[in-house]
Amino acid sequence: MHPVFIHKKILAVYLIIWSIFGLIFASLIANPFTSGWIYALIYIFPLFYIYALMCLSAWYLCKFFPFKKTGVVKIFLVFCIAAFVNSSLWLLLCIEWAALLDRSLNVATAASFDVTEPRLFFILGLTLYLLSGAGHYLVLLYDEAQATQHRLIELNTLAREAELKALRSQINPHFLFNSLNSISALTATDPIAARRMTELLAEFFRKSLDAGKKKFVTLKAELELASHYLDIERIRFGKRLGIDIQIDDECLVKTVPPLILQPVIENAVKHGIAHLIDGGSVTIRTQCGKKSLTVRVENPCDPDRPKGAGNRLGLENIRDRLNTIYDSKSDVVVKDGKNMFRVDIVIRE
């Protein structure tokens, strides 16, 4: 079925355009000094509506002879033949319709209109059909461009999802290696604590896997997972590891990618607290706007450490995930001070 019959609005616009053509042509052939306007409208409008339907056949020719796969010369010849056939049929219809009106209205058509030359209808029919063919090609090319753009968007979305899965798959192994090292260290000194840590680790992975199945989680859920991780590390560090969470209530309902805080807090413990004899506290603060959220994680660090020490894989992972999800609107801002290491995760929707 022709697309024009599928959408009522398009059909209405199409008929209005042909009505305007008919009105213009009627004004050209009507005799203004007689009642020619009435007869011109009665004569022209049925003919134009019929030819409007005949011109829709150009759509099927356009589909059968695609513009990009068919030569211009071949297309021109095909449409010239089709225009000739349709215009000839329309001309015969015009003549028969004029004769019918002459008999029915008892008015001589030739006397009512300034039309005595049939070639005018034939040339008009040729022109309108060729214009219809050009219009249909433009519509098909536009639809093809839209479909291509839609496919590109789908492919881009699939690529981004694949990239996100690859980035997220790096998180758990990275954390697992560090946790197993911690358990290994405890087995010799405190087997009971090592067992407890293993149980907490299993529970953490169960929760992290549930969160990892989702595209987004609330900040509240993300903080609960982070707190569970810190409970695991407290077994190893004891009182050396403290935590200071200062969260605005309105920020808790904000959504974030799952496990986005995990690498930051892990680095704070592994590369900050672990190297201090007296330990320290991991501080988490938030600030949010209508379409923005900033999560700050701070930790004390050894002032004598070499700059840039530590594994930055986790931070790069976060930055890549944010850029992929939010189209580079978000970022990870790192401030490596003498006694303090700070990471700001800035999310802008």
Side-chain angles (χ1 to χ4, degrees), residues 204-217:
F204 173 81
F205 268 104
R206 185 186 66 79
K207 293 183 177 180
S208 65
L209 288 174
D210 290 339
K213 296 176 182 178
K214 303 174 183 178
K215 290 185 177 180
F216 296 96
V217 296

Side-chain angles (χ1 to χ4, degrees), residues 96-133:
E96 293 298 323
W97 179 238
L100 179 62
L101 288 180
D102 287 346
R103 294 191 297 268
S104 301
L105 302 178
N106 295 320
V107 177
T109 304
S112 300
F113 312 139
D114 292 332
V115 176
T116 56
E117 183 54 69
R119 285 182 298 180
L120 179 62
F121 282 90
F122 183 75
I123 294 173
L124 180 64
L126 285 174
T127 304
L128 291 176
Y129 195 88
L130 292 175
L131 287 175
S132 177

